[in-house]
Amino acid sequence: MPVSTAVANQVEPLGPNSLVWKYYGDNRQILGFQRVAGTENCIEQLAKGVEEHSVIFSDFKGRAERTVPPIMSTVYSADPHGWGRKVRDFHRNIKGTIDSDGSSYHAMNPELFYWAHATFVDQVIYVTDTFIRRLSHAEKAQMFEESKRWYALYGVNDRAEPQTYEEFLAYWDEMLDRFVPTKTIVYATGYLRKGLPRPKQVPAPVWRVASIPMNSLLRTLVIGTLPQQMRDVCDLHWDGRMQKRFDRMSALIRALNPVINRLPVAKLYSPWAVEAWERTGVDPRPINNGK
């Protein structure tokens, strides 16, 4: 259910003083790629839309590459309202029927549309707090408040949107309890259960040896970012020993933040964010960086 374009155009977009601008375009957000894509697709209605209206099974990488630019452009471009409308309108014809109970779904349903947005809100808060620097409760609440302006740029009814950060946390927990092992998410996490596929140019004997540490590291860093409900529905093993290893790795990555934050902006940020920082004439590295 779209709202009027006039109303959406009155929304003040985010800018260089926002925490979302500071952290969403940080390249370290890639560490949360499976969390954001996975949680989104553990909800049956959304996953069904991806299954029936996407090329995820034949071109997983391509779909990701087509999804990220419009979202990034909504946050960082010189025309956030225009990009917000493009993202919204792309979903107008995504609708169908759920096999399990015969109910219908539509991507423009405000509850479903907001859930997709919520996974990005969770991503930027979670990844920043886990892999960049610890955030205070006030900073997390600020990011959530900024996310409300971000969502308003899409011009979709906000009836499903929580009004406070505390309400968002309760909403998030409630949604986690609705997770199911959808075809989309079981497929998308197959590499975590079976291991990385062998590149054609690598001999099988070499890959059998080389893939052991690679798969171990990947499973720790990726499965470690996932909510337990997602691990459960995707049949992804996790135990206390793996949690301790993940905690040590994430603490090490956070400890490197003062060094990483000195990298050139073009190395530290995604292209969309780099263009935005250059356009506004702001160097993001000294701002909103905590203690």
Side-chain angles (χ1 to χ4, degrees):
M1 295 176 59
V3 298
S4 73
T5 298
V7 171
N9 284 343
Q10 293 174 8
V11 178
E12 181 184 0
L14 299 174
N17 291 323
S18 67
L19 287 173
V20 168
W21 256 49
K22 166 70 179 184
Y23 292 113
Y24 182 53
D26 189 299
N27 284 327
R28 283 167 286 184
Q29 291 290 333
I30 192 65
L31 293 169
F33 81 95
Q34 188 64 85
R35 181 180 176 98
V36 64
T39 52
E40 180 176 296
N41 285 288
C42 281
I43 294 299
E44 189 172 20
Q45 293 88 344
L46 197 150
K48 191 64 175 177
V50 171
E51 178 186 335
E52 294 186 337
H53 298 271
S54 175
V55 293
I56 185 171
F57 298 111
S58 60
D59 187 14
F60 183 79
K61 182 174 180 290
R63 181 183 187 275
E65 291 174 343
R66 288 186 291 274
T67 298
V68 172
I71 303 295
M72 283 284 183
S73 296
T74 301
V75 174
Y76 287 109
S77 79
D79 183 22
H81 300 92
W83 276 103
R85 290 193 298 272
K86 288 179 183 179
V87 171
R88 177 197 67 196
D89 292 345
F90 176 77
H91 294 83
R92 284 184 181 272
N93 296 319
I94 299 178
K95 55 186 175 180
T97 303
I98 300 297
D99 295 334
S100 61
D101 59 8
S103 63
S104 61
Y105 69 86
H106 195 301
M108 291 300 297
N109 178 291
E111 284 74 17
L112 201 56
F113 203 99
Y114 183 74
W115 169 245
H117 175 68
T119 62
F120 289 98
V121 179
D122 167 78
Q123 176 199 12
V124 67
I125 295 175
Y126 174 85
V127 173
T128 302
D129 187 59
T130 304
F131 295 114
I132 301 179
R133 72 171 180 85
R134 289 304 194 192
L135 296 170
S136 67
H137 185 274
E139 287 172 322
K140 294 176 182 178
Q142 179 182 332
M143 282 177 143
F144 170 73
E145 289 298 322
E146 292 170 357
S147 80
K148 292 160 73 174
R149 288 159 56 194
W150 177 4
Y151 184 67
L153 292 168
Y154 297 127
V156 176
N157 189 298
D158 64 359
R159 71 187 186 206
E161 183 177 47
Q163 293 306 298
T164 66
Y165 179 57
E166 286 70 25
E167 289 181 8
F168 177 79
L169 293 177
Y171 163 82
W172 184 259
D173 288 341
E174 179 183 342
M175 294 300 289
L176 294 183
D177 289 336
R178 291 176 52 189
F179 280 10
V180 294
T182 65
K183 179 181 178 181
T184 301
I185 195 55
V186 171
Y187 169 81
T189 55
Y191 73 100
L192 293 171
R193 290 183 299 276
K194 303 172 184 177
L196 292 168
R198 176 176 65 87
K200 293 180 179 179
Q201 64 271 28
V202 179
V206 174
W207 184 246
R208 278 196 293 271
V209 175
S211 64
I212 294 174
M214 293 173 60
N215 282 319
S216 177
L217 176 62
L218 187 69
R219 288 183 175 119
T220 299
L221 275 177
V222 175
I223 300 177
T225 66
L226 307 180
Q228 187 59 48
Q229 291 91 332
M230 182 177 165
R231 296 172 190 153
D232 292 341
V233 300
C234 295
D235 193 24
L236 297 171
H237 173 70
W238 192 252
D239 57 32
R241 182 180 178 184
M242 296 174 75
Q243 182 66 52
K244 290 179 181 178
R245 191 183 308 136
F246 174 80
D247 290 342
R248 289 194 296 268
M249 287 183 179
S250 56
L252 174 61
I253 296 171
R254 286 197 307 274
L256 292 173
N257 183 52
V259 176
I260 296 173
N261 197 56
R262 291 187 175 90
L263 291 172
V265 173
K267 298 292 184 182
L268 183 59
Y269 284 92
S270 68
W272 304 273
V274 171
E275 190 279 330
W277 294 119
E278 291 177 348
R279 185 179 70 250
T280 56
V282 175
D283 182 347
R285 292 169 295 181
I287 64 174
N288 291 335
N289 204 46
K291 296 180 179 179

